[in-house]
Amino acid sequence: TAVTYAGGWNVSCNGASDGAIDLTVGGGTPGYSYTWSNGAVTEDINSLPAGTYSVNITDANGCTNTQTITLTEPPVLNASTTAVTYAGGWNVSCNGASDGAIDLTVGGGTPGYSYAWNNGATTEDLSGLTAGTYYVTITDANGCTNTQTITLTEPPVLTASTTAVTYAGGWNVSCNGANDGAIDLTVGGGTPGYSYAWNNGATTEDITSLPAGTYSVNITDANGCTNTQTITLTEPPVLTASTTAVTYAGGWNVSCNGASDGAIDLTVSGGTTGYNYTWSNGATTEDLSGLTAGTYSVTITDANGCTNTQTITLTEPPVLNASTTAVTYAGGWNVSCNGASDGAIDLTVSGGTPGYSYVWNNGATTEDLSGLTAGTYSVTV
């Protein structure tokens, strides 16, 4: 008879040498001798591999008996592992994820398998795994073993970065209220086949024609891994401007009718400094002087081409008018008698800016004169 292991095998594991044959002899004349086919001469034999064994038994009188027995062994204990595969050929969907799974297939040996994984698991198959190397020792009902190793891969980290177009002054939009911002999104890692969901509804990688504001994008790769980026586009303050004119007595911006002493002070702020000025009279300076009365307009352009137009009208007083009349005596004379001093001049003034002063060539400073002798009189008003 042969030793029998679990499964009915006479050798525990395929290729093992732990078979044993127990030979029982009776009758004849004791004083038996044994000749086994493997060269053994003992009654019983052990440490045997699978195979067919025969023995010739001879008793003390040379009587013989031959026995044959075949020791069986199980098939080879075999195993294989396969891992779940995600888009891109990775075994874990996203870098750092725990969705890897290993399917272990076992055959041969003697069923009644047990499993010892290097992560402590004792089930045949594994799931919820991170990337890494896993190995398992499979033991069958007779203690035969097989070890399998498999490495689960993961994609690189899904990375993303954003940059915005920059205008003069460091702004991301050229002018206050403009829509010329643009964002360049750069994506790497993960598993290509990216999709984009911007908070303004865009689904392209890069976006343009944007006003100032905060933009965020959710990037999703082919395996559903995500990365969120946020960027704020800035804009300059509103380009503002104001004009003031020199004011003379009477509230006029030019002192005298037809004069050229008007001046405009232009004040500009906001936008992006580095202003240019284009006046309707061809001037390109910020402020103007030496101006006649009239309407002046200026277009201010900042470093990014933003514009503001201002208009101002310079006023002037009416023409300063004056007239003189003299007292007239009989005969049409302005002095009654030769050598007399009873002449008089009535001066009438209008226009200009009231608050008149008078300088007569005879030294008088009143508007009208009297007690005059004949002669020529002039006055500056």
Side-chain angles (χ1 to χ4, degrees):
T1 59
V3 170
T4 302
Y5 291 91
W9 310 109
N10 305 126
V11 174
S12 62
C13 303
N14 189 282
S17 297
D18 56 3
I21 301 172
D22 177 24
L23 179 63
T24 302
V25 180
T29 303
Y32 311 119
S33 61
Y34 313 96
T35 303
W36 289 90
S37 55
N38 67 344
V41 294
T42 57
E43 180 177 359
D44 301 324
I45 53 177
N46 52 37
S47 299
L48 303 174
T52 299
Y53 296 84
S54 61
V55 60
N56 188 54
I57 306 120
T58 304
D59 72 0
N61 289 318
C63 305
T64 63
N65 184 306
T66 298
Q67 295 292 312
T68 298
I69 188 172
T70 297
L71 302 189
T72 60
E73 64 182 345
V76 173
L77 176 59
N78 59 71
S80 62
T81 54
T82 57
V84 169
T85 302
Y86 292 90
W90 311 108
N91 306 124
V92 174
S93 62
C94 304
N95 190 283
S98 300
D99 55 6
I102 300 172
D103 176 25
L104 176 63
T105 302
V106 180
T110 302
Y113 310 121
S114 62
Y115 313 94
W117 291 90
N118 62 326
N119 67 346
T122 57
T123 57
E124 180 175 359
D125 301 324
L126 300 184
S127 60
L129 303 175
T130 59
T133 298
Y134 295 83
Y135 59 85
V136 60
T137 297
I138 305 114
T139 304
D140 74 359
N142 285 317
C144 312
T145 61
N146 182 306
T147 298
Q148 295 292 309
T149 299
I150 188 172
T151 297
L152 303 190
T153 60
E154 66 182 345
V157 174
L158 176 60
T159 61
S161 62
T162 54
T163 57
V165 169
T166 302
Y167 292 89
W171 310 109
N172 307 125
V173 173
S174 62
C175 304
N176 190 283
N179 295 305
D180 55 5
I183 300 172
D184 177 26
L185 176 65
T186 301
V187 180
T191 303
Y194 309 119
S195 61
Y196 313 93
W198 290 89
N199 62 336
N200 69 343
T203 57
T204 57
E205 180 174 359
D206 302 324
I207 52 177
T208 59
S209 302
L210 305 173
T214 297
Y215 296 84
S216 62
V217 59
N218 190 57
I219 305 119
T220 304
D221 75 358
N223 285 317
C225 314
T226 60
N227 182 307
T228 299
Q229 295 292 309
T230 299
I231 187 173
T232 297
L233 302 190
T234 59
E235 66 183 344
V238 175
L239 176 60
T240 62
S242 63
T243 54
T244 57
V246 170
T247 303
Y248 293 91
W252 310 109
N253 305 124
V254 174
S255 61
C256 302
N257 190 282
S260 298
D261 56 4
I264 301 172
D265 177 26
L266 176 64
T267 301
V268 181
S269 64
T272 303
T273 54
Y275 308 122
N276 291 314
Y277 313 94
T278 304
W279 288 91
S280 54
N281 67 345
T284 58
T285 58
E286 181 175 358
D287 301 324
L288 300 185
S289 60
L291 303 174
T292 59
T295 298
Y296 296 84
S297 63
V298 61
T299 297
I300 306 109
T301 305
D302 75 359
N304 284 318
C306 314
T307 61
N308 183 305
T309 298
Q310 296 291 311
T311 299
I312 187 171
T313 298
L314 302 191
T315 60
E316 64 183 347
V319 175
L320 176 60
N321 294 304
S323 63
T324 56
T325 58
V327 172
T328 303
Y329 291 92
W333 309 110
N334 304 121
V335 175
S336 62
C337 301
N338 189 284
S341 301
D342 57 2
I345 300 172
D346 177 25
L347 176 64
T348 301
V349 180
S350 65
T353 303
Y356 308 123
S357 61
Y358 315 93
V359 179
W360 291 90
N361 62 335
N362 68 346
T365 58
T366 59
E367 181 176 358
D368 300 325
L369 300 183
S370 61
L372 302 175
T373 60
T376 298
Y377 294 84
S378 65
V379 63
T380 299
V381 184

